[in-house]
Amino acid sequence: MEPTRTDHGEPRLDDIPASERRWIGRELPRVEDPALVTGRTEFIDNASVPGMLHAAVLRSPHAHARIVRIDARRALALPGVVAVLTGADVARWSNPSGGYPEGTGLHCMATDKAHYFGEPVAAVAACSRYVAEDALELIEVDYEPLPAVVDGRRAGDADAPRVHDTLPANVAFARRFTWGEVDAAFAGAARVVRESFRWNRVGANPIETFGCICQWDTLADAVTIRAGVQSPLLTALAIAGVLGLPSNRVRLISYQRGGSFGGKGNPRAINIVCLLSRKAGGAPIKWIEDRVEYLSAGGGQAWDRFYEAELALDADGRFTGLRIALLDDIGASGENYGAIGAGKPLAAFTGCYAIPVASYDVTIVLSNKLPTSAYRGMGPPPHFFVLEQMVDIAARELGIDPVELRRRNYIRPEQFPYTIPSGNEYDSGDYPATLEAVLGHADYPALRRFQREARAAGRWIGIGVANAVEPGVFDWNAYAIVGMPGVGVPEGITVAIDILGHITARVGFTPEGQGQYTLIAQLLADYFGVRPQDIGVVALDTLGAPPAFGPGGSRLGVAISGATLRAAAKLRDKILAIAAQLLRSPPDAVEFVDGVARLRANPGVRLTLAEIAGIALARSDLLPPGMELGLEATSVWTAADRGPIDEQGRAKSYLTAANACHLAMVELDPETGKVRILKYVVADDVGTRLNPATVEGMLQGGIAQGVAAALLEEYRYDANGQLLSGTFMDYLLPTIAEVPMSEKIALTTPSPFAPLGAKGCGEGAIHTAPAAVMCAINDALAPFGVRAREVPASPDRIWSLLAGQRRQGA
């Protein structure tokens, strides 16, 4: 299905000047992969600069404690130690981060008290990491332990320990958003279902932890930073604010990353190492986070949430209203964008359903735990975990199949574009078709027959079906409710053709596994009639790059496609102008197809790309009057028709709305509480698939993270704020034994608003998988009168639910 042009003027597939598209839309191996599989990709831990020192960080053993004294003299006396940075230096030389909500940021190092277990309290620069680690043991710190608030439900109490001495309370944000006559809808409902839910902390665990090399130029008062950073320009701007430097004095060179998932955007560590370099007289300093540091104090924890939900239905089983109250515990600081995950659900608040009115009661609190971070999905996965279970609960109360209840309540295909109560506009979709594709492929009636037979034989089988919308291509207004400013997220590219006709694209981001360099190569190869491997893609540092955000928010594939094709179109126009001059023909008599400029009336009269490039860069005398030498173009793309939020937080925030339906069948062992996934089927619609292999890889990865959130992963703290899951012995990652290889069906309803009709799909299945697995678990538990309302649904939790039911029945 071909996307049609819209009022926004976004490029479509037919705009690519090729007689046949050879590359875009095909399963092309990634151009990034040869360097990866041969070990030639330079990651930050492989990098070195002359004269480099190494850093180690001393961290608080307390979740909340006053720092009475720090004595670093013995550490400084250790041979090989060059400098020690403490909170006193940090307070003198830097500013606290701003934080979202406003005022919730902290200094990059504890200055007067520690706010969470693992917070940095000192850092050492030495000739080696070994010496630096030894020096940490020589630093004397006297602490005055303080009471800690660890349970988010207690954080807002008047007598709760205050996390920030500068704030009047631990409640950082509290507001109710109301969209329509919600109270009237519930008052007139034939049925209202209510339930509470708990989503415990999970997070990103990429193969590579964070690292950086930082050098403070004491003469120029500038810093050069090498780091595995997800959004370099945004990070550099934040660093400039903390270090008190002009933004053009911060040069950030981003390295390719071994995964990120949102966890490599916090500049806290960079700020520490920059200040340590300043203390060391400007020496370059390298710091690589170890795995224990990452788990306990890195950028990998997210979504510490308590929910109360209500769903109103009429007598025909139609949804008439939705109320959700969220208590979001973001830990000790809002520095790492954790709170904006409470804003993103507004982009898909009512999911795939035509719910006319809704309300959202949001409370964000601080606690003495690690600040939460961005994580893949950025908030909606817990939201859909709640919404989809509410649909199943309503179906059970009505005595109908949950699939049928979904059918009755979907937004219909003819209703798109569709504006949901919370203000975002869905571009396109066919939710009934997505559901039917899953049910047909899985043979849903046969699965239900198998379930009945298995239950009769004493097996606990459950089947869950869940839907979700994946908002794609975000705008800053999506997070405005917690204070994020701005409208318009840029993604820029410069495409240059050299004197021999070779093409290089220059961008402002480095790869982390989603294949965007391959996508750029596919687009330019089809546009200019070359092969993808002939295209060079180069990342520039933050002082040379075009405006760019980089990976994040299920947006980069769409955004970079728009920028690439617009830059290519600018080059095409110049190529045609040069060709018309050389062929002595009017411009409209010349066309550019398959990499050559030719006369429309006589295609045999042509000029190759290399011939035109040679003229464009070396023969100014042959160019049209007034034309400059050169053959390059820059384009900065952002989504059209965005604007500020209104008084109830409503706006067109995400440009695209992919959707998916997942079916999970599980078996539960009542003796151990263990859950085993027997079957997993997915139908998803991400619009035009620009590289189907890349889409499938992201889909399967999202399923893995979603299954892990539902069954395994949890950051646990004790009542004193001590982390109980600080290694992979206790924080359980999934293996191939726990994650099924899904059966996949692809549907396509192109976006009428986005370049090429593509939709954001980078976060994908993590939106839906936790809900599908939990719906299946509760389907298995339903005959026994218990309900799992907390993730992960670990064996101990399931066993405890069943044991409690047995005790009640005894």
Side-chain angles (χ1 to χ4, degrees):
M1 190 183 302
E2 297 284 313
T4 56
R5 188 178 300 282
T6 72
D7 293 339
H8 302 324
E10 296 295 353
R12 60 183 183 180
L13 290 170
D14 284 345
D15 292 331
I16 295 173
S19 55
E20 178 187 3
R21 290 188 296 274
R22 296 186 297 159
W23 311 112
I24 198 67
R26 302 188 183 275
E27 292 195 357
L28 187 71
R30 296 186 305 186
V31 299
E32 300 94 334
D33 287 352
L36 287 168
V37 299
T38 57
R40 299 182 186 183
T41 298
E42 185 178 44
F43 295 95
I44 188 62
D45 198 22
N46 306 125
S48 180
V49 297
M52 186 174 74
L53 302 175
H54 296 266
V57 178
L58 182 67
R59 300 180 182 278
S60 170
H62 302 284
H64 199 198
R66 194 77 57 192
I67 298 173
V68 178
R69 180 183 71 94
I70 297 181
D71 187 343
R73 288 175 294 179
R74 291 175 60 214
L76 282 166
L78 185 69
V81 171
V82 176
V84 176
L85 184 78
T86 67
D89 302 312
V90 168
R92 183 169 66 252
W93 287 341
S94 69
N95 303 308
S97 63
Y100 298 100
E102 186 177 357
T104 59
L106 293 171
H107 277 98
C108 60
M109 181 178 285
T111 55
D112 56 348
K113 74 171 186 176
H115 304 80
Y116 59 92
F117 170 80
E119 184 175 10
V121 296
V124 173
C127 60
S128 72
R129 180 68 178 255
Y130 302 101
V131 173
E133 294 282 355
D134 288 345
L136 294 183
E137 298 184 10
L138 301 177
I139 299 174
E140 299 174 13
V141 184
D142 291 340
Y143 294 97
E144 177 191 331
L146 300 170
V149 58
V150 180
D151 188 336
R153 294 167 296 185
R154 269 207 64 223
D157 294 349
D159 60 346
R162 201 112 54 84
V163 178
H164 287 217
D165 293 341
T166 56
L167 295 177
N170 295 327
V171 177
F173 179 89
R175 186 174 171 190
R176 187 182 191 205
F177 299 91
T178 302
W179 307 301
E181 299 297 326
V182 180
D183 291 344
F186 275 83
R191 183 180 296 268
V192 174
V193 294
R194 298 178 175 87
E195 189 54 278
S196 59
F197 301 92
R198 174 75 167 113
W199 182 290
N200 288 291
R201 286 188 174 212
V202 297
N205 272 284
I207 293 175
E208 177 202 41
T209 58
F210 186 73
C212 60
I213 302 171
C214 305
Q215 184 168 16
W216 192 294
D217 186 331
T218 55
L219 182 64
D221 217 19
V223 292
T224 297
I225 301 155
R226 294 170 170 83
V229 171
Q230 187 168 347
S231 298
L233 283 113
L234 185 68
T235 302
L237 193 62
I239 292 166
V242 167
L243 300 182
L245 295 174
S247 54
N248 65 348
R249 294 293 185 268
V250 176
R251 181 186 179 215
L252 199 163
I253 304 164
S254 179
Y255 279 64
Q256 185 161 338
R257 293 164 303 291
S260 177
F261 309 111
K264 292 181 179 174
N266 187 355
R268 172 184 281 266
I270 292 174
N271 293 327
I272 289 173
V273 180
C274 283
L275 292 171
L276 187 58
S277 173
R278 179 176 178 176
K279 189 85 180 277
I285 300 176
K286 182 178 189 176
W287 177 73
I288 301 296
E289 182 178 52
D290 66 35
R291 182 60 65 178
V292 172
E293 286 180 302
Y294 180 86
L295 287 166
S296 61
Q301 296 190 22
W303 307 334
D304 191 344
R305 295 181 167 188
F306 299 86
Y307 285 96
E308 299 288 338
E310 297 177 279
L311 181 63
L313 299 91
D314 66 16
D316 296 322
R318 308 281 182 185
F319 303 152
T320 59
L322 174 67
R323 289 178 177 145
I324 291 182
L326 165 65
L327 176 66
D328 194 6
D329 178 355
I330 63 169
S333 166
E335 68 192 47
N336 203 22
Y337 311 110
I340 69 177
K344 184 176 177 179
L346 271 69
F349 195 81
T350 48
C352 296
Y353 308 112
I355 305 176
V357 298
S359 68
Y360 189 31
D361 196 336
V362 186
T363 303
I364 298 173
V365 297
L366 300 168
S367 69
N368 293 116
K369 291 181 286 193
L370 178 68
T372 56
S373 299
Y375 179 42
R376 187 177 194 172
M378 206 64 192
H383 182 86
F384 290 128
F385 151 78
V386 171
L387 177 58
E388 290 300 301
Q389 289 193 84
M390 292 299 288
V391 174
D392 274 17
I393 293 168
R396 287 195 184 95
E397 290 197 10
L398 291 169
I400 63 174
D401 191 309
V403 163
E404 175 55 31
L405 189 59
R406 286 174 169 82
R407 283 194 185 104
R408 292 183 193 179
N409 286 282
Y410 283 142
I411 300 164
R412 308 301 302 175
E414 64 272 12
Q415 293 177 278
F416 290 95
Y418 183 89
T419 300
I420 61 176
S422 50
N424 193 34
E425 181 183 53
Y426 294 172
D427 54 346
S428 66
D430 189 340
Y431 304 152
T434 309
L435 173 70
E436 299 307 330
V438 162
L439 300 181
H441 182 91
D443 195 349
Y444 184 70
L447 294 185
R448 286 298 185 190
R449 287 194 299 273
F450 170 76
Q451 180 186 43
R452 290 191 294 271
E453 294 166 359
R455 283 179 175 175
R459 296 174 64 186
W460 295 34
I461 303 294
I463 299 169
V465 174
N467 299 97
V469 171
E470 179 184 1
V473 194
F474 77 90
D475 192 272
W476 293 124
N477 63 12
Y479 313 128
I481 68 166
V482 293
M484 180 69 76
V487 173
V489 183
E491 202 61 52
I493 190 170
T494 298
V495 180
I497 303 174
D498 69 19
I499 197 168
L500 299 178
H502 300 302
I503 303 169
T504 301
R506 302 192 291 268
V507 296
F509 64 92
T510 46
E512 56 185 25
Q514 298 102 323
Q516 288 96 352
Y517 283 17
T518 300
L519 175 57
I520 293 167
Q522 287 176 274
L523 290 167
L524 292 177
D526 263 341
Y527 205 100
F528 292 105
V530 297
R531 302 175 304 166
Q533 56 265 43
D534 296 330
I535 306 295
V537 184
V538 178
L540 302 181
D541 65 41
T542 55
L543 297 183
F549 176 80
S554 289
R555 65 172 290 279
L556 186 52
V558 173
I560 203 63
S561 293
T564 300
L565 291 174
R566 287 182 180 179
K570 293 179 182 180
L571 286 172
R572 178 201 60 203
D573 291 345
K574 188 168 185 177
I575 288 167
L576 288 172
I578 294 170
Q581 175 83 357
L582 295 174
L583 297 174
R584 303 187 187 282
S585 300
D588 60 2
V590 183
E591 63 180 359
F592 182 74
V593 180
D594 296 333
V596 298
R598 66 191 189 190
L599 292 179
R600 294 180 186 275
N602 188 0
V605 178
R606 59 178 58 196
L607 293 167
T608 66
L609 187 61
E611 290 170 333
I612 294 171
I615 300 297
L617 286 138
R619 292 295 303 271
S620 61
D621 57 312
L622 298 179
L623 296 178
M627 181 178 286
E628 297 177 355
L629 281 173
L631 200 55
E632 71 173 49
T634 297
S635 179
V636 179
W637 185 92
T638 191
D641 197 25
R642 309 296 98 177
I645 61 172
D646 68 10
E647 70 283 354
Q648 287 297 325
R650 290 173 292 216
K652 292 181 181 180
S653 54
Y654 276 73
L655 181 68
T656 68
N659 78 89
C661 182
H662 291 206
L663 181 148
M665 183 167 71
V666 305
E667 182 167 9
L668 190 151
D669 183 347
E671 298 302 318
T672 64
K674 182 176 175 58
V675 174
R676 184 165 64 98
I677 298 176
L678 304 179
K679 189 178 187 65
Y680 206 98
V681 181
V682 177
D684 73 329
D685 179 355
V686 299
T688 304
R689 292 174 184 250
L690 302 177
N691 187 330
T694 300
V695 174
E696 179 162 351
M698 291 190 289
L699 174 63
Q700 188 63 34
I703 291 171
Q705 288 175 306
V707 167
L711 298 179
L712 298 169
E713 297 187 26
E714 180 182 0
Y715 287 101
R716 294 192 182 197
Y717 287 82
D718 69 13
N720 297 314
Q722 293 292 312
L723 182 66
L724 302 178
S725 47
T727 73
F728 286 151
M729 289 287 289
D730 304 296
Y731 187 89
L732 303 180
L733 291 180
T735 69
I736 196 170
E738 287 80 36
V739 179
M741 178 53 72
S742 60
E743 302 168 41
K744 304 178 184 71
I745 310 107
L747 289 82
T748 301
T749 55
S751 172
F753 302 150
L756 306 181
K759 299 184 181 185
C761 62
E763 291 163 329
I766 195 173
H767 287 83
T768 324
V773 172
M774 290 303 296
C775 287
I777 290 171
N778 281 315
D779 187 52
L781 293 172
F784 308 97
V786 293
R787 182 182 297 153
R789 300 177 292 114
E790 184 172 4
V791 293
S794 54
D796 62 316
R797 285 201 175 101
I798 297 295
W799 186 89
S800 297
L801 273 175
L802 295 171
Q805 181 69 5
R806 292 186 191 108
R807 285 194 297 271
Q808 289 180 13

